[in-house]
Amino acid sequence: MKKNIFFCVIWFVNMQTYSSDLSVGGSSDVRVRMGENITLNCSMRNRDEVAWYRLRSEELVLLISAEKDKTGRRLLTTYNQNRTRMKMTADSWVTRVSLTISGVTESDSGLYFYGIKSDTPEMHFNKPIRLEIEGNRFQFFSSLGVR
Ligand SMILES: *[C@@H]1O[C@H](CO)[C@@H](O)[C@H](O)[C@H]1NC(C)=O
Ligand SMILES: *[C@@H]1O[C@H](CO)[C@@H](O)[C@H](O)[C@H]1NC(C)=O
Ligand SMILES: *[C@@H]1O[C@H](CO)[C@@H](O)[C@H](O)[C@H]1NC(C)=O
């Protein structure tokens, strides 16, 4: 009996650690209003390729990917899920790279994270950013059918 309780405690402590890793544990939260633009930043120092992903409703989506050109001074977009809404920009040495998503809607909320890599096949992932979209009062009332 005592042994069982001991194992329960261990299990509980492990679950606590595990669930905090899964949820916010280390992610940063960003809140934007519906319709606004959001800029997410990353560092590509000593890396050649970058890819941004969004996790939402247990679905992982590649949003955009890019790589440095031969000179290392330009960033070439290799994939863009929606060119009308997303754009990547870089500083002159392509160390600081920004992804701008314009006119965010509710469906843009989720966990965002980027992977960066060099010649080696493995990707390195950063801490996720939790993007929350705030509706406004008008949208709240119109969703209720009130005008
Ligand atoms: C990214 O950098 C821009 C420019 O410095 C800043 O305005 C923006 O808030 C940053 N984004 C986040 C999510 O911190
Ligand atoms: C891209 O975004 C625009 C504006 O929100 C939307 O109308 C269009 O359907 C999107 N295209 C794709 C392929 O998701
Ligand atoms: C948001 O992004 C769009 C498209 O890039 C741009 O036309 C618009 O001026 C931006 N709005 C703000 C408030 O920066």
Side-chain angles (χ1 to χ4, degrees):
M1 185 63 192
K2 252 193 191 140
K3 223 177 195 176
N4 280 343
I5 291 168
F6 178 74
F7 280 121
C8 278
V9 169
I10 297 286
W11 175 81
F12 182 73
V13 170
N14 278 333
M15 284 307 285
Q16 292 268 299
T17 328
Y18 184 57
S19 54
S20 68
D21 279 349
L22 275 183
S23 58
V24 206
S27 79
S28 47
D29 291 21
V30 176
R31 290 165 156 260
V32 268
R33 290 244 181 84
M34 194 98 79
E36 285 180 351
N37 298 351
I38 175 78
T39 301
L40 303 173
N41 307 304
C42 75
S43 167
M44 271 185 80
R45 192 177 295 275
N46 302 325
R47 305 286 184 195
D48 304 320
E49 293 173 38
V50 61
W52 275 96
Y53 297 86
R54 183 192 61 224
L55 180 66
R56 177 188 157 81
S57 308
E58 295 180 5
E59 193 189 1
L60 184 68
V61 174
L62 171 64
L63 298 174
I64 196 165
S65 63
E67 62 186 35
K68 287 179 184 171
D69 74 352
K70 283 205 188 84
T71 67
R73 304 275 316 246
R74 274 184 65 207
L75 189 67
L76 309 171
T77 302
T78 47
Y79 175 78
N80 190 341
Q81 189 221 23
N82 195 330
R83 277 197 272 164
T84 59
R85 299 187 56 222
M86 291 186 292
K87 192 177 74 188
M88 279 227 255
T89 51
D91 62 6
S92 52
W93 286 103
V94 197
T95 46
R96 205 181 133 84
V97 174
S98 302
L99 165 64
T100 301
I101 305 174
S102 58
V104 297
T105 65
E106 226 286 297
S107 59
D108 292 310
S109 62
L111 274 185
Y112 284 74
F113 49 94
Y114 66 87
I116 44 177
K117 73 192 256 331
S118 333
D119 311 344
T120 51
E122 73 272 11
M123 258 204 166
H124 299 268
F125 287 95
N126 70 314
K127 291 191 299 186
I129 298 166
R130 184 181 298 277
L131 184 65
E132 285 178 34
I133 313 297
E134 294 175 332
N136 58 37
R137 203 170 285 176
F138 171 74
Q139 270 145 348
F140 173 71
F141 283 120
S142 60
S143 73
L144 293 177
V146 179
R147 261 153 223 250

